Amino acid sequence: MTLLERINGPRDLKELSQEQLGVLAAEIRDVLVETVTRTSGHLGPNLGVVELTIALHRVFESPKDKLIFDTGHQSYVHKLLTGRYPQFHTLRQSGGLSGYPSRTESEHDLVENSHASTSLSYADGMAKAYKLRGEYDRTGVAVIGDGALTGGMAWEALNNIAVARDSRLVIVVNDNGRSYQPTIGGLASHLSSMRVSQRYEQVLDLIKTTVTSTPIVGSPLFGALHGAKKGLKDFLQPQVLFEDLGIKYIGPIDGHDEQMTEHALRQAAEYGGPVLVHAITRKGFGYALAEENEEDCLHQVPGTAGKPAASTGGTTAGGAAAKPAKRSWSEVYGDEMVAVGARRPDVVAITAAMLHPVGLAPFKAAYPDRVYDVGIAEQHAVTMAAGLAMAGLHPVVSVYATFLNRAFDQLLMDVALHKLPVTVTLDRAGVTGPDGASHNGMWDGSILQVVPGLRVAAPRDGSRIAELLNEAIAVSDGPTVVRWPKGNVGAEADAVGKLGSMDILATPADGNATDVLLLGAGPMAVTCVEIARRLGDHGIGVTVVDPRWVKPVDPAVAGEARKHRLVAVVEDNGRAGGFGDAVARLLRDHDVDVPVKTFGLAQEFLNHGTRDEILEAAGLTPQHLARQLTEAVARRTPGATEHGTGGPGTTRDTQTPASRPSSTQERLPE
Ligand SMILES: Cc1ncc(C[n+]2csc(CCOP(=O)(O)OP(=O)(O)O)c2C)c(N)n1
């Protein structure tokens, strides 16, 4: 039996000897590498916090004390030490352990988020509440990376924590010098100067040896100089930043020395006010492939089992005809940005600590001076883009769709209100899958619909990324957004005609009536072609339209809708307030009384699973959608029964999957 198999909870850790802790750390690293390379997930960050997490659980008493892992991607070791080793092999699989802390999994998990820089605010709130409730024996512990510490929220929290002098709050900065890439910014430079510079200790050593060796005056002089240590510290060390704020500072310590880390944490726990423990760690520690990986120290690795990391784009969801190409949406975008950069010297790019994942690495290689990495600071990124635009450039802010939520107000007020030419590209828009609820990019389609003057494009395939990106960057009187999903682009879907600014992808086959006008946003337009083929087999005539721009909705939709018996809209976004609702509103406004059905994601926090599994469960596959539409047409066919026996709505199989009603809703124009 391994030591790890004997750990059923943090208490079991406390009985282990220092030697045993070393063995346990090695066992944990083996399990991390073996499991995560199979399941996919965050490898480098977790390898880097093995000793730190062991020390945390030996010093503090979770769940009485509250451990909060910022972002939560580095909580695998915590899971292994809190009784979840037996389930660890199910990590990130549908129905298995989450890749982040999960309140349903364990009483030791508190914050499920995976949006960065929140831990200090949660901890501040908890510490204040425990104080007010008289629960003085609890300590709040926030573990935050140097990357997450670049986020504005962390600094808002520090500003408040600093004056909460008697809050029992320990901030552990896990400083590995990296986010995905080396962490950028003034704070990062400060921290790294502490990491690499021995100046402070050297000066103290020098003083000690030279001054104490001077006879008679030696010792008193050393004492006096030692008393001036604080001054020296101020001069030589940036920890003054925290101490002057009023937050006690301990460190820097070697976060891979379990004993030293434990000692520092015990000191912090006993202090009784806000303390910051600065632990230096190495991302990927103990696994050469990770430590030496230049791009991101294997921050997140694809799995070999199943297909969670090789998830397809929306075009192939549920078995549509398109065969996935090998290139990701991000790569196609990255190449086009290089071409755009050559034509447009005024175009600059901004990333919030995610240069490679959002596809900007080629642009950076081509134009190193035209990329700004702002750290995990989406709000700053967007308002800085406003500034760049005001000064005559055309910035392109590239973020994951879910992280744009952070910068909604900045986009609304700082960019749109000022009608500034800023383009935002949203990667991983729609269902993303294994990273769970907070990573699904299912919100932007709704929140962006309310922004005056904003134009939003959704390319259906690789060629349309280039086309729509260029159209977006050509807009000079207001902001634009271009969104695409996670994974690989699918086969190209050529237009067979135009309808205003939109592409017609399919028309009813000869002999079929114009039954359904089917609009698909982004890759869902290709899914709609497959749906139309299935419906055509049942004698239902479908016109498929790719709107290309999902905001504003082209008014030509209204005229086309009048020619059909039913309008249906499919989107990979929450249903509330998205493209479907915008189409329904347009039809109401134009007094079009053709019924509208909108298909999208139920407005829920979705559990982790693969993209395909989630789309399947949401009914967003050609098979399910075709079935629903067949039923809907049948209901509108005079003389046909609900399950259609004769007429255009005829189908052999009309059973609706149980999960469908939550993700679709019929809207009759008012
Ligand atoms: C608001 C927000 N933006 C971007 C991300 C994506 N992201 C996840 S982890 C990470 C890097 C975190 O770096 P750090 O906090 O230093 O932790 P490490 O992985 O180095 O341990 C980023 C940018 C996020 N989770 N939240």
Side-chain angles (χ1 to χ4, degrees):
M1 200 180 203
T2 63
L3 279 172
L4 184 55
E5 283 168 329
R6 285 166 35 198
I7 304 290
N8 297 312
R11 225 162 263 185
D12 297 331
L13 269 182
K14 305 198 179 184
E15 283 140 29
L16 299 185
S17 67
Q18 207 56 47
E19 196 187 336
Q20 284 174 314
L21 291 177
V23 175
L24 178 69
E27 287 176 8
I28 290 173
R29 284 204 168 85
D30 286 347
V31 169
L32 286 174
V33 173
E34 190 279 317
T35 308
V36 181
T37 51
R38 191 168 40 76
T39 62
S40 81
H42 290 95
L43 188 55
N46 282 287
L47 288 167
V49 296
V50 175
E51 290 80 12
L52 178 59
T53 313
I54 292 174
L56 281 165
H57 275 297
R58 276 168 62 86
V59 172
F60 297 100
E61 274 180 52
S62 176
K64 176 175 73 65
D65 294 323
K66 302 297 178 189
L67 299 190
I68 300 166
F69 291 90
D70 202 290
T71 314
H73 64 305
Q74 77 292 52
S75 62
Y76 300 176
V77 185
H78 163 78
K79 288 186 188 237
L80 288 169
L81 298 178
T82 49
R84 283 169 275 180
Y85 171 60
Q87 299 90 43
F88 196 66
H89 64 282
T90 67
L91 187 74
R92 287 164 57 93
Q93 312 302 299
S94 184
L97 287 187
S98 161
Y100 295 88
S102 163
R103 293 158 74 94
T104 53
E105 273 175 26
S106 169
E107 60 178 346
H108 297 282
D109 289 8
L110 290 162
V111 173
E112 310 203 354
N113 78 26
S114 58
H115 286 201
S117 318
T118 60
S119 62
L120 305 188
S121 302
Y122 278 114
D124 187 30
M126 284 183 198
K128 285 183 162 74
Y130 291 133
K131 190 176 139 199
L132 211 59
R133 290 160 56 101
E135 298 179 37
Y136 299 111
D137 60 338
R138 293 181 191 273
T139 303
V141 185
V143 182
I144 183 166
D146 56 296
L149 202 55
T150 60
M153 271 191 78
W155 289 90
E156 292 170 30
L158 277 176
N159 191 39
N160 282 275
I161 289 168
V163 290
R165 301 272 154 138
D166 51 357
S167 266
R168 296 191 63 85
L169 209 165
V170 177
I171 300 164
V172 180
V173 176
N174 171 35
D175 179 7
N176 56 27
R178 303 187 70 105
S179 300
Y180 279 70
Q181 292 242 294
T183 305
I184 304 290
L187 172 73
S189 309
H190 266 322
L191 291 179
S192 88
S193 73
M194 282 173 90
R195 206 170 25 245
V196 294
S197 156
Q198 295 302 314
R199 272 186 310 166
Y200 169 63
E201 291 308 328
Q202 277 167 3
V203 172
L204 275 189
D205 279 351
L206 185 75
I207 290 167
K208 211 167 170 179
T209 46
T210 54
V211 177
T212 51
S213 62
T214 313
I216 309 171
V217 291
S219 289
L221 185 60
F222 170 68
L225 274 173
H226 201 72
K229 182 173 158 187
K230 177 80 171 66
L232 265 176
K233 248 163 117 176
D234 287 1
F235 175 64
L236 292 166
Q237 293 220 107
Q239 71 212 41
V240 67
L241 184 73
F242 300 109
E243 292 209 331
D244 279 0
L245 262 177
I247 297 169
K248 175 112 186 109
Y249 174 98
I250 298 175
I253 54 154
D254 175 358
H256 296 303
D257 180 332
E258 197 282 331
Q259 220 172 353
M260 183 193 279
T261 309
E262 214 178 300
H263 180 69
L265 292 175
R266 280 192 205 289
Q267 274 188 304
E270 281 157 20
Y271 181 65
V275 191
L276 186 144
V277 177
H278 183 185
I280 308 292
T281 63
R282 201 177 164 113
K283 203 157 180 166
F285 189 72
Y287 183 50
L289 281 180
E291 282 189 42
E292 289 157 18
N293 180 276
E294 222 172 276
E295 183 172 316
D296 62 4
C297 293
L298 301 189
H299 179 88
Q300 190 160 17
V301 294
T304 52
K307 337 171 260 184
S311 166
T312 61
T315 50
T316 58
K323 218 176 170 190
K326 294 229 166 54
R327 312 203 68 223
S328 70
W329 292 88
S330 328
E331 284 167 341
V332 175
Y333 160 68
D335 287 352
E336 187 55 28
M337 270 298 279
V338 173
V340 167
R343 286 194 296 276
R344 291 274 304 264
D346 62 321
V347 167
V348 294
I350 303 175
T351 170
M354 300 184 77
L355 183 79
H356 287 269
V358 298
L360 279 178
F363 190 84
K364 163 104 177 167
Y367 320 105
D369 298 340
R370 288 160 62 186
V371 178
Y372 303 99
D373 180 347
V374 296
I376 307 179
E378 288 81 4
Q379 302 178 66
H380 173 66
V382 172
T383 302
M384 189 183 101
L388 288 163
M390 280 175 171
L393 299 180
H394 190 115
V396 178
V397 183
S398 297
V399 291
Y400 279 9
T402 185
F403 301 135
L404 179 70
N405 297 357
R406 277 281 165 88
F408 174 72
D409 186 55
Q410 285 74 10
L411 185 64
L412 179 70
M413 296 302 173
D414 305 337
V415 176
L417 174 68
H418 296 85
K419 300 187 172 58
L420 291 169
V422 170
T423 297
V424 179
T425 67
L426 301 180
D427 201 307
R428 272 73 162 172
V431 170
T432 54
D435 279 308
S438 62
H439 265 59
N440 288 312
M442 56 179 279
W443 322 102
D444 62 280
S446 310
I447 61 176
L448 294 179
Q449 283 290 342
V450 308
V451 179
L454 174 70
R455 283 164 252 203
V456 183
R460 66 177 177 271
D461 57 26
S463 296
R464 256 42 65 165
I465 286 196
E467 187 179 287
L468 288 165
L469 180 67
N470 280 287
E471 286 179 33
I473 289 172
V475 173
S476 59
D477 61 352
T480 46
V481 169
V482 188
R483 83 188 293 262
W484 55 79
K486 179 181 176 180
N488 292 333
V489 290
E492 301 281 304
D494 291 333
V496 298
K498 286 296 272 186
L499 177 65
S501 62
M502 303 176 286
D503 283 346
I504 298 175
L505 302 187
T507 51
D510 285 348
N512 281 349
T514 47
D515 294 305
V516 183
L517 172 62
L518 187 54
L519 294 128
M524 285 299 172
V526 185
T527 302
C528 287
V529 175
E530 169 63 8
I531 297 167
R533 190 190 60 70
R534 288 170 184 246
L535 293 181
D537 290 348
H538 292 290
I540 300 172
V542 182
T543 306
V544 176
V545 169
D546 171 8
R548 298 171 68 254
W549 289 90
V550 293
K551 181 183 184 300
V553 181
D554 191 319
V557 168
E560 190 64 17
R562 283 201 180 90
K563 301 178 193 158
H564 293 76
R565 291 202 291 150
L566 178 72
V567 175
V569 185
V570 185
E571 64 189 309
D572 182 3
N573 186 71
R575 289 181 57 249
F579 175 56
D581 280 355
V583 169
R585 190 167 55 249
L586 177 100
L587 298 187
R588 283 199 301 272
D589 290 350
H590 285 77
D591 293 323
V592 179
D593 56 5
V594 178
V596 185
K597 284 183 78 75
T598 60
F599 299 91
L601 298 165
Q603 213 64 39
E604 290 166 6
F605 293 111
L606 304 173
N607 280 335
H608 59 280
T610 66
R611 175 172 158 85
D612 287 350
E613 282 166 345
I614 293 171
L615 289 174
E616 170 82 27
L620 291 177
T621 62
Q623 191 193 10
H624 294 318
L625 290 164
R627 207 178 272 172
Q628 291 236 0
L629 287 170
T630 305
E631 285 178 6
V633 172
R635 278 199 296 273
R636 285 166 187 81
T637 303
T641 63
E642 164 81 4
H643 293 289
T645 50
T650 301
T651 177
R652 283 184 295 272
D653 177 10
T654 55
Q655 198 189 346
T656 305
S659 59
R660 296 308 81 79
S662 65
S663 61
T664 65
Q665 187 193 344
E666 190 165 335
R667 285 167 183 270
L668 293 170
E670 292 156 2

